[in-house]
Amino acid sequence: MVLSWSPPATDGGSPITGYQVTPFVGSTALAVRTFCLESGWSLEDASFVAALAVGGAVRILCNYAEISQDALDVCGCIPMVPGSFAAKAILGFFALTSPNLVSEADTLVTAVQSTLRVLFTIGAIGTGLAIPMLLLRVRTQKRATLP
């Protein structure tokens, strides 16, 4: 694959020395999560493992390239946000206000389950991103010595 583009009209006062293309992180997250889901794992477990992979890949990329870690973490996890469960939760809670509701208990259970899956998945993503950062950062920090 070949990428090409014209240089920007202005360089902002500094010469442009190169471009960085980082689709690797988002595609890694999606590939790992898809593999885990296809292997029968829950969405929460698959998202946690994918976030661990993203967090580790980002730490490695940040050690070898001058790329913002926050930007890579965010772009890597966008494909993992559980939109379908969030939609089920919101629509379920809206349905509870319907005058023609048939089964309040079933609707409430579905809405609460979907809400919990969204919360647990987002928690798994956050934890998965934090672990590699914390583990790898501790190893690279200089330790203070007492006099």
Side-chain angles (χ1 to χ4, degrees):
M1 176 169 66
V2 176
L3 299 175
S4 62
W5 54 85
S6 301
T10 177
D11 61 9
S14 299
I16 297 172
T17 59
Y19 296 93
Q20 296 176 343
V21 180
T22 57
F24 169 75
V25 179
S27 60
T28 299
L30 191 56
V32 170
R33 189 180 77 166
T34 301
F35 174 78
C36 291
L37 289 172
E38 293 291 325
S39 298
W41 294 26
S42 71
L43 176 66
E44 297 84 356
D45 293 341
S47 296
F48 175 73
V49 172
L52 277 174
V54 166
V58 165
R59 289 303 296 164
I60 291 167
L61 285 173
C62 289
N63 286 338
Y64 295 105
E66 295 178 10
I67 301 172
S68 168
Q69 177 176 341
D70 295 336
L72 286 176
D73 283 346
V74 170
C75 81
C77 287
I78 287 172
M80 297 193 308
V81 174
S84 64
F85 287 111
K88 274 187 190 177
I90 292 167
L91 292 174
F93 287 119
F94 281 150
L96 288 172
T97 63
S98 172
N100 301 325
L101 186 60
V102 175
S103 174
E104 289 179 8
D106 290 342
T107 303
L108 180 61
V109 167
T110 301
V112 170
Q113 284 177 335
S114 296
T115 301
L116 289 174
R117 291 200 75 181
V118 168
L119 294 174
F120 291 145
T121 302
I122 291 173
I125 292 169
T127 303
L129 289 174
I131 289 173
M133 187 177 108
L134 294 172
L135 291 178
L136 296 175
R137 181 176 286 167
V138 170
R139 292 182 182 175
T140 59
Q141 287 179 345
K142 295 181 181 178
R143 299 191 187 272
T145 57
L146 298 173

